[in-house]
Amino acid sequence: MKKRSILVIGILLTFITFFQACKSEEVTTTKTATITALTCTSTTFSATATSGASYTGTVSVPYTGGNGVAYDAGTAIASTGITGLTATLSAGTLASGSGTASFVITGTPTSAGTATFAIALGGQSCTLSLPVAVSKASISTLVCTVAPAIGTNGTAYTGTVTMAYTGGNGGTYDISTASSTGVTGLTATVAAGTLANGAGNLVYTISGSPTSSGTATFNLSLGGQTCTVTLAIAAGTSNTATAAKDTVVIAYSGTSASVNNPYSSSGVAVAVSGADVTVTSTNTSKEIVYLLSGTATKGSFKIYSEYRYNITMKSVSITNSVGPAINSQSSKKGTINILAGTTNTLIDGATYTTSKEDQKGTFFSEGQLSFMGTGTLNVTGLNKHAIVADDYIAISEANIIVKSAVKDGIHANDYLQVDNGTITVTSSGDGIVAEEGYVVINGGTINVNSVDDGIAAPYSSTDATIIPYVLIKGGKISVTTTGDKGNAIKSESYTTIGTSEAVTLTVSGKGSKGLKTGGDFILNAGTVKITTSGAAYYDTADSDIAAPAGINCDKNLSINGGNLTINSTGLGAKGISVDGTATINGGTTNITASGAKYTYNSANTSEAKGFKSDGVFIMNNGELNIAATDDGIKSETSVTVNDGTINVTKSTEGIESKIITFGGGLTNVTSSNDGINASMGTVSGGTESNDGSHIYIKGGILIVTGSDAIDSNGNITITGGTAIVGGPTNQPEEGVDINGNFLVNGGILIAGGSNARMTKAMTATSTQVSMYITSSAQVAASSVLHIEDASGKDLVTFKPKNANYYFHFSNPSLAKNSQYKIYFGGTYSGGSFVGGSSGWGLYTGGTYSNSGATLKSTTTTSSSNTVNTISF
């Protein structure tokens, strides 16, 4: 009986064991979701993607052979081909057989084309292709404002983001959506529409329910521009204090800190030693927010993160006497959110504890830093830099104040971009610098007070892929530098300014420059004011004179618009110095270079010149006003005036070059020596030989006065335009002085000068009839020279700048073998001076009366020669 019982029990146990084994195998098998095929070629997208515009859409991907098992949400898959997007599998349950799986695509496509995603589900994979259309919309600047700025966890939210833009091109745009990050559950959407031509507003609508408390962030892109807005999400009405779902809360209190970490089991470890907080995060699925608040009198925040992260500052104050206040050892992007209405403070120590890790300033990051939020961040750098990243720094908004920095205020290893906000920097080194990249300013207000360079892209090594430029597309900028050879703005490549707001640059150190560029300088728009007060000096390290300048450009300079004012008062200081070609196409430029000459020795001097170019100088349009101690405009190559207005109100030599051409516009020059001087170079002791230089007058109006008002060591050729020349009185100089040929083949010429030395008439081969008049008596500066034909028609009424004895006159109306009367004196009423000259010049538009005048000569021009010498 016992044996039978034992046998029965054994059989029963065996059956149970077998049954459990089969059951376990069945459970194990059904836990894994599997399919037999995933088809990416038969997909539908919920929305159209456009380059440069925020995108949120869903796509349904068909599959076959589903086993009916549930599957979790996937991790984000970055797009290839066209970057800027990610696709994430939404959680769901497979059908038993055929069905569709949903993926959510978010981001901003960087260009048009096809964005591809290598997606996978249930052991199968395929490549998903999203077409990205070419954007027809383009804007220049963007400022975004959200309202209301506060939401509540778990409560439905409805609000708007007003996107104020400038530079709209009138193009159309498609619907654009963006999902919130940080605190999820919200979506911003703008309907399709058409941009204005110029400035306008777009309105995004935000809806949804926040999934937690903390900060909801939207990165909104449209028309090639991006702005970032944030919503503060309150915890709701619950009396239970819990950490936000996506937030690690760190509260400082003196020499201690408390932490609430909802990710302790999800790869985020937070170590606390006193008030020193160290985060080590291996979580790579979510951008975790670290909310800092309270005051640490002796503490720090340090982070190691394998994924991008967010530091939100809520009235936090951190002082670390032995190192950085915030130290990110992560190479990933850190978004720094400075909450609205809060003031935050970071202070480091003058001496750091030795570390094998980089720790280059008060706020240091190995990776990218992106600042946002409208609160205030005060930073003091007692050891080195104040804010520094070994990658790029982007500032979309915020009020950042660098109280002081031993070295640079804000230092990026790569590029630095400012879109909006207010930045104030006081530093003993550079103000804002991109060490191996570029600086782009799209908007905001920037105030820099530095000893060395104010805003700089100084890279000068050999990597041709790095272009260290400064581009100012918007914003109001003020820079003051005080150190020797300091530059308010410096780039080793090109510099371009196109802001509609004011740029004010003030430099006072010896040899300092308002703007120094190793490449081209371009001014397209803006009101730019540059003041230099430092003196030139001999730099023994360079064995050369370091001369201050408003603008010093190593390559080519173009002024296309805007209003530029330069005031250089220092010894030997220049207004603008250009090594290459200088071109003025528009705008208004005012230059004052009032300093005295700097002399180191006879071979090393620096003069205060207005505009100096080693290459070609070209005036195409706009207005240029110059007052200089030495030369007004000097080019080592040539000067060409095609149009526009040039006023040189003070100079030793007004315009000087080898070849000078006047083709149009108005040029008015006042000088104490040569007004217009063409010379191939200085010859010791002077020379009367033709050196090959040339002055061409082809069009426009030229008004010039000086000791030698027009002086060519070579030739002068006049074929058009109007030249009005005022020479000296009783000086051994002339109104017109030439060593070579003086050809008058067209145009109008009236010139007066002294008879104190021999002067020359026009060259006999001139094709237009002219008069060379010499008088034994002066025409007083208060009188006029008047010439009329036999019928009484006024050919010229000229009021000289000074009392003159001789005159050059030519006019297309002069004819051979014709009679003319020459008067000294009389009156002219109802007219004005050609070219708007003040107090002297060529009268036009009025009536001459010979009452009280002296008829000096009635002369008949030669019937064969074009040049007529007339003496009385």
Side-chain angles (χ1 to χ4, degrees), residues 56 103 212 349 619 640 664:
T56 297
F103 288 78
S212 66
M619 183 80 181
T640 301

Side-chain angles (χ1 to χ4, degrees), residues 81-100:
I82 302 303
T83 59
L85 298 165
T86 60
T88 304
L89 174 65
S90 300
T93 301
L94 292 174
S96 294
S98 299
T100 58

Side-chain angles (χ1 to χ4, degrees), residues 176-219:
S176 177
T177 59
S179 299
S180 61
T181 59
V183 174
T184 58
L186 298 169
T187 301
T189 304
V190 64
T194 303
L195 292 174
N197 285 304
N201 290 305
L202 299 176
V203 178
Y204 274 79
T205 299
I206 300 177
S207 60
S209 296
T211 57
S212 66
S213 60
T215 301
T217 301
F218 295 90
N219 294 307

